[in-house]
Amino acid sequence: MLLFTICNLVIGVVSIESARHSTGEFRLYNDIIWNNNPYERPVYNKSETITVEFDFHLHTVSRYTESQQQLLCTGWFDVSWSDQFLTWNSEMYDGVEFIRPPDSYVWKPDLVVSNSFQQLNHIGGDFVPLKVSSYGHVQWMTGDLFYLHCETDVLMYPFDSLKCSMEIVVWSYSTSEVDLKVRQSVAGTSSSNIGGQWRLKPTSITAKEKTFDNKPISHVLITLTLDRRPVHFVFNFILPVLILSVLGTFVFLIPADSGEKISFAITIPLSYGVYMGFLTDMIPQSSQGISPFIIILGLTLTMSAVFVIVSIFSVRFCGQSESKPIRKTLQRFTIWVEKVDAFGRFGNRDKPAIEESGQLQELQAKTTQPVTWKRVSKALDLFFFWLLCIPSLVGIPITLIYIGLNLGF
């Protein structure tokens, strides 16, 4: 009984193995694929050119490094060509119209990204199978991670655009052997995942011919254009800097004898220094120009240093002994500032109203009194407050209008 059972099992296994070996796909792999030479260009006439057609589909934009102007993205290629060695009559193989052999057994064009930041490697990997049809049509859909160099106009930062290029070449064959053709002049972006601070514009693909080592080779240029979304930068850097520039002018309204004037003045340039430290790694490093925002930040940092210096002199003047003589220049300066301030306050009012209030007599009496060091300190603060406040009041609205126009408000 045991012997009969073993014989039945052996017969069953042999029958299953025989049935599997008799399938059309199994015989097709044995007859064509396993004996195929993947290193031979698949044409019988070696003077014939193989035309390789492909499309590029951008999948994600992962990261952009501002200081190196380097873009990290992922995408995939839909590549196809005709292989004269891989054809068969489907009726002889149980109606099998196509198979998916490993790419190591099929000839492929050695496509390389010639301008990659990383080492030069063939596009794709062994994990991607190919689809081979009975009439010799081969389809290869392969993806990869790309490190691309991007050009940006730093003069427009943060309202700039990125222009990144990817150069695809056939590394080992000349144009007469393998010719690259583009099916569409734009890349596929329907499945793209472009988030964060970038907005993708139409991506162009152009096929050209270039010379490498005195040999013409097929060359395809893929150009990615990305517009920056500056909202994050505006609300986290530009607006705080504008607010700091306004706050800096109010240091001259703090009384010199309050004890807080210099400490408040020093806080402003320290805040600018913190922001400049953040911006070092964010703004592209280029010798072709510098962002106007960096120039504005440098000017406001310089103005804040002026605030500190003027505040020190104001506090020093306020603390001077009244027995120390005051130069005629400072006296004339103080009286002139007080008159200009009085004109600004009373110049547009009716004279009877001014006289009834007694403010005019008080001002006239003040101008006839000897100039003191405290009056010099107040005049100095008042002069620099209006001198530096007016540019801020004019520049900030212009800056906000410019930002609003670029943001589409």
Side-chain angles (χ1 to χ4, degrees):
M1 185 65 180
L2 180 61
L3 181 61
F4 177 76
T5 303
I6 294 175
C7 290
N8 285 336
L9 290 176
V10 172
I11 293 173
V13 172
V14 172
S15 299
I16 294 174
E17 189 69 17
S18 300
R20 189 176 70 87
H21 287 184
S22 63
T23 61
E25 188 169 353
F26 185 87
R27 290 183 290 108
L28 182 58
Y29 272 87
N30 281 333
D31 295 344
I32 297 179
I33 299 301
W34 304 138
N35 296 321
N36 186 56
N37 183 6
Y39 303 104
E40 182 182 3
R41 203 164 56 93
V43 287
Y44 291 106
N45 184 2
K46 298 307 178 183
S47 62
E48 184 178 345
T49 302
I50 297 178
T51 300
V52 177
E53 298 180 344
F54 78 95
D55 291 332
F56 176 71
H57 299 264
L58 182 65
H59 183 55
T60 60
V61 173
S62 303
R63 182 178 68 251
Y64 176 67
T65 306
E66 299 278 0
S67 57
Q68 299 179 1
Q69 298 185 18
Q70 175 181 322
L71 180 71
L72 175 62
C73 65
T74 56
W76 55 278
F77 294 91
D78 184 358
V79 189
S80 64
W81 64 92
S82 180
D83 192 320
Q84 298 180 8
F85 298 162
L86 300 181
T87 60
W88 67 89
N89 186 352
S90 60
E91 296 181 357
M92 297 175 58
Y93 295 94
D94 298 337
V96 176
E97 295 289 343
F98 64 88
I99 55 177
R100 298 184 182 276
D103 68 339
S104 58
Y105 287 90
V106 180
W107 178 91
K108 305 187 306 295
D110 48 352
L111 302 179
V112 175
V113 181
S114 61
N115 63 334
S116 174
F117 262 95
Q118 303 296 315
Q119 59 185 355
L120 297 178
N121 286 327
H122 293 170
I123 295 176
D126 297 337
F127 65 93
V128 182
L130 289 81
K131 181 179 179 181
V132 182
S133 301
S134 59
Y135 53 91
H137 181 267
V138 182
Q139 185 181 24
W140 182 35
M141 302 180 69
T142 181
D144 213 330
L145 188 67
F146 305 103
Y147 293 84
L148 307 178
H149 172 71
C150 300
E151 295 180 357
T152 181
D153 185 5
V154 295
L155 297 178
M156 296 298 296
Y157 185 87
F159 307 101
D160 55 340
S161 300
L162 291 181
K163 189 175 182 181
C164 311
S165 61
M166 183 193 308
E167 297 182 3
I168 308 296
V169 299
V170 181
W171 194 257
S172 303
Y173 298 98
S174 64
T175 306
S176 60
E177 295 173 312
V178 177
D179 188 21
L180 290 179
K181 296 294 183 182
V182 178
R183 296 194 191 98
Q184 298 180 354
S185 59
V186 294
T189 57
S190 59
S191 61
S192 299
N193 181 19
I194 312 297
Q197 59 176 333
W198 302 108
R199 183 188 304 110
L200 180 65
K201 298 181 70 175
T203 301
S204 64
I205 306 178
T206 55
K208 300 179 180 179
E209 181 180 296
K210 66 184 300 185
T211 302
F212 179 75
D213 196 18
N214 296 324
K215 179 180 66 175
I217 59 175
S218 288
H219 166 248
V220 173
L221 181 64
I222 302 173
T223 304
L224 306 178
T225 304
L226 300 168
D227 287 340
R228 189 191 301 272
R229 293 189 177 105
V231 176
H232 168 77
F233 190 86
V234 167
F235 284 98
N236 288 278
F237 290 94
I238 295 182
L239 291 183
V241 168
L242 294 179
I243 294 173
L244 285 175
S245 64
V246 175
L247 288 177
T249 59
F250 285 91
V251 69
F252 301 112
L253 299 182
I254 301 176
D257 54 357
S258 67
E260 302 293 334
K261 191 180 187 71
I262 295 180
S263 60
F264 180 81
I266 293 177
T267 303
I268 302 300
L270 289 178
S271 301
Y272 282 126
V274 172
Y275 274 101
M276 293 192 75
F278 282 119
L279 291 175
T280 301
D281 296 329
M282 293 186 60
I283 295 181
Q285 306 296 321
S286 175
S287 59
Q288 298 178 355
I290 186 172
S291 172
F293 179 72
I294 298 301
I295 298 177
I296 294 174
L297 187 60
L299 291 176
T300 52
L301 180 61
T302 303
M303 289 179 60
S304 64
V306 174
F307 296 165
V308 175
I309 295 174
V310 174
S311 299
I312 292 174
F313 277 100
S314 176
V315 173
R316 180 177 176 84
F317 288 158
C318 184
Q320 288 283 6
S321 174
E322 296 298 338
S323 60
K324 185 176 181 179
I326 303 175
R327 294 183 180 182
K328 296 293 183 181
T329 304
L330 289 178
Q331 294 183 22
R332 289 194 293 269
F333 170 78
T334 302
I335 295 173
W336 176 78
V337 171
E338 291 175 346
K339 288 183 178 180
V340 172
D341 179 55
F343 178 79
R345 286 186 293 171
F346 307 133
N348 296 326
R349 296 173 56 182
D350 295 334
K351 187 173 181 180
I354 300 175
E355 292 177 350
E356 290 178 2
S357 64
Q359 294 179 352
L360 183 61
Q361 291 81 358
E362 181 182 352
L363 178 63
Q364 291 175 348
K366 188 176 182 179
T367 55
T368 58
Q369 295 176 359
V371 177
T372 63
W373 282 108
K374 288 188 176 181
R375 288 176 59 187
V376 173
S377 175
K378 291 181 179 180
L380 186 67
D381 286 342
L382 190 61
F383 173 77
F384 277 97
F385 173 75
W386 288 112
L387 179 66
L388 299 176
C389 186
I390 291 176
S392 298
L393 295 177
V394 174
I396 289 177
I398 295 176
T399 304
L400 293 177
I401 292 173
Y402 176 78
I403 292 173
L405 291 175
N406 282 275
L407 291 179
F409 293 158

